[in-house]
Amino acid sequence: MLKSLTAIIFGLMLLTACGGGENSNDEMEPETNTEAMAEESNEATLSIEGDDQMQFNKKEMTVKAGATVTLTLKHTGTMAVTAMGHNWVLLKQGTDVATFATAAVEAGVDGDYVPAGTTAVIAHTKTIGGGESTTVEFTAPEAGTYEYICSFPGHWAMMRGKLIVE
Ligand code: ZN
Protein backbone atom coordinates (compact mmCIF):
# COMPACT_ATOMS: atom_id res chain seq x y z
CA MET A 1 0.00 0.00 0.00
CA LEU A 2 2.81 2.35 0.96
CA LYS A 3 4.61 1.56 -2.25
CA SER A 4 1.66 2.50 -4.45
CA LEU A 5 1.10 5.62 -2.38
CA THR A 6 4.69 6.65 -2.94
CA ALA A 7 4.21 6.01 -6.64
CA ILE A 8 1.12 8.23 -6.70
CA ILE A 9 2.88 11.02 -4.86
CA PHE A 10 5.89 10.76 -7.13
CA GLY A 11 3.55 10.83 -10.13
CA LEU A 12 1.82 13.93 -8.81
CA MET A 13 5.14 15.65 -8.25
CA LEU A 14 6.23 14.82 -11.77
CA LEU A 15 2.99 16.32 -13.09
CA THR A 16 3.57 19.45 -11.05
CA ALA A 17 7.17 19.60 -12.21
CA CYS A 18 6.03 19.32 -15.84
CA GLY A 19 3.48 22.07 -15.27
CA GLY A 20 6.26 24.45 -14.28
CA GLY A 21 8.48 23.23 -17.10
CA GLU A 22 8.16 26.35 -19.21
CA ASN A 23 10.78 28.16 -17.18
CA SER A 24 13.18 25.27 -16.88
CA ASN A 25 16.09 24.76 -19.20
CA ASP A 26 17.82 21.65 -20.47
CA GLU A 27 20.73 21.99 -18.08
CA MET A 28 18.51 21.48 -15.05
CA GLU A 29 18.43 17.94 -13.71
CA PRO A 30 14.79 16.86 -13.35
CA GLU A 31 15.67 14.70 -10.32
CA THR A 32 17.09 17.62 -8.37
CA ASN A 33 13.93 19.56 -9.01
CA THR A 34 11.69 16.74 -7.74
CA GLU A 35 13.68 16.24 -4.56
CA ALA A 36 13.55 19.91 -3.68
CA MET A 37 9.79 19.92 -4.08
CA ALA A 38 9.40 16.84 -1.91
CA GLU A 39 11.18 18.55 0.95
CA GLU A 40 9.09 21.65 0.54
CA SER A 41 5.62 20.20 0.30
CA ASN A 42 5.72 16.95 2.20
CA GLU A 43 6.27 17.98 5.79
CA ALA A 44 3.64 18.87 8.34
CA THR A 45 3.83 19.94 11.95
CA LEU A 46 0.86 19.28 14.21
CA SER A 47 0.33 20.10 17.85
CA ILE A 48 -2.37 19.00 20.24
CA GLU A 49 -2.91 19.46 23.95
CA GLY A 50 -4.48 17.38 26.67
CA ASP A 51 -5.51 18.76 30.04
CA ASP A 52 -6.62 17.76 33.55
CA GLN A 53 -10.25 17.86 32.38
CA MET A 54 -9.59 14.82 30.19
CA GLN A 55 -9.93 16.79 26.94
CA PHE A 56 -7.94 17.22 23.77
CA ASN A 57 -7.97 20.83 22.53
CA LYS A 58 -8.52 19.63 18.95
CA LYS A 59 -11.19 17.33 17.60
CA GLU A 60 -9.95 17.54 14.04
CA MET A 61 -6.61 17.96 12.28
CA THR A 62 -5.72 17.86 8.59
CA VAL A 63 -2.59 16.75 6.74
CA LYS A 64 -1.64 15.78 3.21
CA ALA A 65 -1.29 12.13 2.23
CA GLY A 66 2.28 10.90 2.42
CA ALA A 67 3.45 13.90 4.44
CA THR A 68 6.14 13.44 7.04
CA VAL A 69 4.20 14.52 10.09
CA THR A 70 5.78 15.73 13.30
CA LEU A 71 3.14 15.75 16.02
CA THR A 72 3.72 17.18 19.47
CA LEU A 73 1.40 16.31 22.34
CA LYS A 74 1.50 18.67 25.31
CA HIS A 75 -0.11 17.96 28.67
CA THR A 76 -1.18 21.39 29.94
CA GLY A 77 -2.42 20.08 33.28
CA THR A 78 -0.57 19.36 36.51
CA MET A 79 -1.79 15.88 37.40
CA ALA A 80 0.60 12.93 37.43
CA VAL A 81 0.88 10.48 34.56
CA THR A 82 -0.53 7.74 36.79
CA ALA A 83 -3.73 9.70 37.50
CA MET A 84 -4.28 11.70 34.30
CA GLY A 85 -1.87 10.34 31.72
CA HIS A 86 -2.37 11.25 28.08
CA ASN A 87 -1.09 9.84 24.84
CA TRP A 88 -2.08 10.25 21.20
CA VAL A 89 -2.81 7.09 19.27
CA LEU A 90 -3.71 7.18 15.56
CA LEU A 91 -5.76 4.18 14.52
CA LYS A 92 -6.12 2.49 11.16
CA GLN A 93 -9.46 2.79 9.45
CA GLY A 94 -11.94 0.11 10.43
CA THR A 95 -10.52 -0.28 13.94
CA ASP A 96 -13.18 -0.88 16.58
CA VAL A 97 -12.19 1.82 19.04
CA ALA A 98 -13.89 0.25 22.07
CA THR A 99 -12.19 -3.09 21.46
CA PHE A 100 -8.84 -1.40 20.94
CA ALA A 101 -9.24 0.69 24.09
CA THR A 102 -9.96 -2.42 26.15
CA ALA A 103 -6.81 -4.08 24.83
CA ALA A 104 -4.91 -0.86 25.56
CA VAL A 105 -5.97 -0.98 29.20
CA GLU A 106 -4.71 -4.56 29.41
CA ALA A 107 -1.38 -3.46 27.92
CA GLY A 108 -1.07 -1.29 31.02
CA VAL A 109 1.39 1.39 31.95
CA ASP A 110 4.36 -0.84 31.10
CA GLY A 111 3.06 -1.21 27.54
CA ASP A 112 2.34 2.54 27.34
CA TYR A 113 -1.33 1.64 26.83
CA VAL A 114 -0.67 0.29 23.36
CA PRO A 115 -1.23 -3.44 22.89
CA ALA A 116 2.00 -5.25 22.03
CA GLY A 117 2.13 -6.33 18.40
CA THR A 118 -1.04 -4.47 17.47
CA THR A 119 -1.67 -3.87 13.77
CA ALA A 120 -4.32 -1.21 14.44
CA VAL A 121 -1.95 1.64 15.22
CA ILE A 122 -0.48 3.95 12.59
CA ALA A 123 1.44 6.04 15.11
CA HIS A 124 1.43 6.84 18.79
CA THR A 125 3.20 9.00 21.33
CA LYS A 126 4.30 7.83 24.74
CA THR A 127 2.05 8.53 27.71
CA ILE A 128 2.85 11.73 29.61
CA GLY A 129 1.77 13.57 32.74
CA GLY A 130 1.07 17.23 33.54
CA GLY A 131 3.64 19.72 32.25
CA GLU A 132 5.25 17.26 29.87
CA SER A 133 5.39 17.11 26.08
CA THR A 134 6.23 14.36 23.66
CA THR A 135 6.72 14.20 19.92
CA VAL A 136 6.18 11.48 17.36
CA GLU A 137 7.06 11.45 13.68
CA PHE A 138 5.16 9.37 11.15
CA THR A 139 4.17 9.25 7.51
CA ALA A 140 0.59 10.29 6.84
CA PRO A 141 -1.40 7.40 5.39
CA GLU A 142 -3.46 7.52 2.20
CA ALA A 143 -6.33 10.00 1.94
CA GLY A 144 -9.21 9.36 4.28
CA THR A 145 -10.43 10.01 7.80
CA TYR A 146 -8.64 8.37 10.72
CA GLU A 147 -9.57 8.34 14.38
CA TYR A 148 -7.18 9.27 17.15
CA ILE A 149 -7.66 8.68 20.83
CA CYS A 150 -5.94 8.87 24.18
CA SER A 151 -5.73 5.23 25.19
CA PHE A 152 -5.17 5.87 28.91
CA PRO A 153 -7.81 3.85 30.78
CA GLY A 154 -11.22 5.49 30.53
CA HIS A 155 -10.12 8.45 28.41
CA TRP A 156 -11.01 7.43 24.86
CA ALA A 157 -14.71 8.24 25.17
CA MET A 158 -13.85 11.91 25.81
CA MET A 159 -10.42 12.16 24.25
CA ARG A 160 -10.87 11.34 20.60
CA GLY A 161 -10.83 13.16 17.30
CA LYS A 162 -10.30 12.82 13.59
CA LEU A 163 -7.20 13.16 11.48
CA ILE A 164 -8.28 14.06 7.96
CA VAL A 165 -5.76 13.08 5.30
CA GLU A 166 -6.25 14.88 2.00
ZN1 ZN B 1 -5.75 10.87 28.41
Side-chain angles (χ1 to χ4, degrees):
M1 200 186 284
L2 197 62
K3 219 171 191 179
S4 66
L5 186 64
T6 309
I8 291 166
I9 291 162
F10 188 67
L12 282 173
M13 288 193 300
L14 279 184
L15 279 176
T16 315
C18 288
E22 285 167 28
N23 295 329
S24 64
N25 57 50
D26 293 342
E27 287 160 29
M28 189 181 275
E29 290 278 336
E31 280 176 18
T32 312
N33 198 13
T34 306
E35 277 173 18
M37 291 188 64
E39 279 172 29
E40 231 178 308
S41 64
N42 252 8
E43 287 179 13
T45 305
L46 298 177
S47 62
I48 185 165
E49 295 173 358
D51 60 20
D52 283 346
Q53 280 70 51
M54 211 194 293
Q55 296 281 351
F56 279 136
N57 69 335
K58 288 176 185 170
K59 296 287 183 194
E60 209 176 279
M61 294 186 282
T62 305
V63 291
K64 288 195 170 70
T68 301
V69 182
T70 305
L71 178 137
T72 300
L73 168 68
K74 187 179 178 191
H75 192 320
T76 58
T78 57
M79 290 171 74
V81 65
T82 46
M84 183 59 72
H86 297 316
N87 64 8
W88 184 88
V89 182
L90 181 63
L91 299 170
K92 285 187 183 165
Q93 285 177 322
T95 302
D96 185 287
V97 181
T99 305
F100 176 83
T102 303
V105 172
E106 285 164 8
V109 65
D110 291 339
D112 225 6
Y113 304 107
V114 174
T118 181
T119 55
V121 172
I122 296 168
H124 72 91
T125 67
K126 63 175 187 160
T127 306
I128 56 172
E132 295 182 309
S133 329
T134 182
T135 298
V136 64
E137 189 179 296
F138 63 98
T139 303
E142 63 190 75
T145 301
Y146 299 80
E147 286 202 85
Y148 61 79
I149 63 167
C150 170
S151 66
F152 188 88
H155 285 199
W156 68 275
M158 304 250 311
M159 300 186 73
R160 62 193 297 185
K162 287 178 167 53
L163 179 72
I164 296 163
V165 182
E166 296 179 328

